[in-house]
Amino acid sequence: MLPWKKRLLRPLAALLLAISVTAVPAATASASASTASSSGWNDYDCKPSAAHPRPVVLVHGTLGNSVDNWLGLAPYLKHRGYCVFSLDYGQLPGVPFFHALGPIDKSAEQLSAHIDKVLAATGAAKADVVGHSQGGMMPRYYLKFLGGAAKVNALVGIAPNNHGTTLAGLTNLLPFFPGAEDLLTAATPALAQQIVGSDFMTKLNAGGDTVPGVRYTVIATRYDEVVTPHRTQYLSGANVRNILIQDLCPLDLSEHALLGLTDRIAFHEVANALDPARATATTCASVLG
């Protein structure tokens, strides 16, 4: 490799990583499982009610964790009577707090084990899954290849990377830097796997986006700067509802991170997706709900 390309390779990889960081808030040492349990979620004594008979499993995004990603949505759902659980997955050795960087197929195995644990604790036959970014896409691997369709009623993806991302065109620069993708794959496998056209994305979407028996909801924002173009988040198939948040509230300016972290209009659509029989119209006023 030419010396100048070597000098530019590491900054390019670092820039890809930095952009992905925008998918989550800054993690701190104070974020822990105790925060979740004290806030009412990850309570393994919780038993689903007749009104909400399935536990909800929250799946964080790239560089997120089981607490920080859900400080908004988990209490929102808990307040509405759901048993809510979250997990950490895709950890790299020696990297605390910033997860979902390991191979996505292995992360799906972690999700499988976690859902088994939740179902055993709650006595429910199936769970509902809500994920942000990679967390809205990775469960599809579990559903499609690991038998998850028998254990999941609904998958709700908030800004999910369902068909790979161009990172606003930045990934188009990778061919000009030989070895860049190899570096990403070695250091942060999940980042490389989420690039449009990757072997992982090709396998995930071959033969169709969905599997029978599962309801799918995608909640996207046109201002997404991480999963681009934003319409690649949408799914095709039976039992799919694709939602652009600006169609419900044109004033909503949330981008990729805020859609999953703080956007109560998106949260209202999550609640509708989890309980469609009791769904109510989502408008700009839903921010007050």
Side-chain angles (χ1 to χ4, degrees):
M1 185 186 300
L2 294 175
W4 69 270
K5 287 190 175 181
K6 286 184 177 180
R7 289 195 297 271
L8 287 176
L9 177 56
R10 291 187 181 277
L12 176 63
L15 183 55
L16 285 168
L17 183 62
I19 289 178
S20 296
V21 170
T22 66
V24 296
T28 64
S30 62
S32 65
S34 61
T35 303
S37 59
S38 66
S39 300
W41 86 90
N42 281 340
D43 174 8
Y44 283 87
D45 292 324
C46 184
K47 300 300 180 184
S49 65
H52 302 303
R54 291 175 299 276
V56 178
V57 175
L58 303 178
V59 188
H60 64 75
T62 304
L63 292 165
N65 61 62
S66 62
V67 176
D68 285 355
N69 213 142
W70 305 120
L71 292 173
L73 182 58
Y76 182 95
L77 294 176
K78 186 67 181 179
H79 179 69
R80 283 156 179 77
Y82 289 92
C83 292
V84 181
F85 302 87
S86 61
L87 78 155
D88 289 307
Y89 71 90
Q91 301 93 328
L92 292 180
V95 182
F97 310 120
F98 299 101
H99 303 319
L101 292 171
I104 298 175
D105 55 330
K106 299 301 180 183
S107 294
E109 293 176 5
Q110 291 179 271
L111 175 62
S112 177
H114 184 75
I115 288 180
D116 285 348
K117 178 181 178 181
V118 168
L119 294 181
T122 60
K126 290 187 175 184
D128 289 324
V129 177
V130 179
H132 180 215
S133 193
Q134 182 188 157
M137 170 273 292
M138 178 269 281
R140 292 180 50 224
Y141 190 96
Y142 164 63
L143 298 177
K144 195 168 188 177
F145 299 110
L146 302 180
K151 301 175 183 179
V152 172
N153 169 70
L155 171 60
V156 184
I158 304 171
N161 186 9
N162 278 322
H163 296 97
T165 179
T166 68
L167 279 174
L170 187 61
T171 60
N172 295 330
L173 298 177
L174 288 172
F176 295 99
F177 297 90
E181 289 194 53
D182 290 340
L183 175 62
L184 283 176
T185 299
T188 53
L191 293 185
Q193 289 176 314
Q194 290 185 81
I195 294 174
V196 64
S198 71
D199 290 344
F200 177 85
M201 283 294 171
T202 300
K203 177 180 177 180
L204 178 64
N205 293 305
D209 293 346
T210 63
V211 295
V214 179
R215 289 189 293 104
Y216 296 82
T217 302
V218 172
I219 303 171
T221 170
R222 67 164 45 100
Y223 303 114
D224 200 309
E225 78 287 19
V226 175
V227 183
T228 58
H230 74 267
R231 291 190 178 275
T232 62
Q233 299 172 25
Y234 294 166
L235 295 173
S236 299
N239 295 320
V240 171
R241 183 169 183 239
N242 294 310
I243 301 163
L244 183 65
I245 205 72
Q246 284 76 30
D247 288 341
L248 305 176
C249 177
L251 300 177
D252 193 327
L253 302 180
S254 290
E255 41 65 71
H256 183 85
L258 292 181
L259 195 69
L261 298 174
T262 63
D263 193 319
R264 292 177 71 88
I265 297 171
F267 293 176
H268 189 267
E269 273 303 296
V270 170
N272 281 348
L274 295 176
D275 191 1
R278 297 181 178 87
T280 58
T282 301
T283 66
C284 293
S286 298
V287 71
L288 304 175

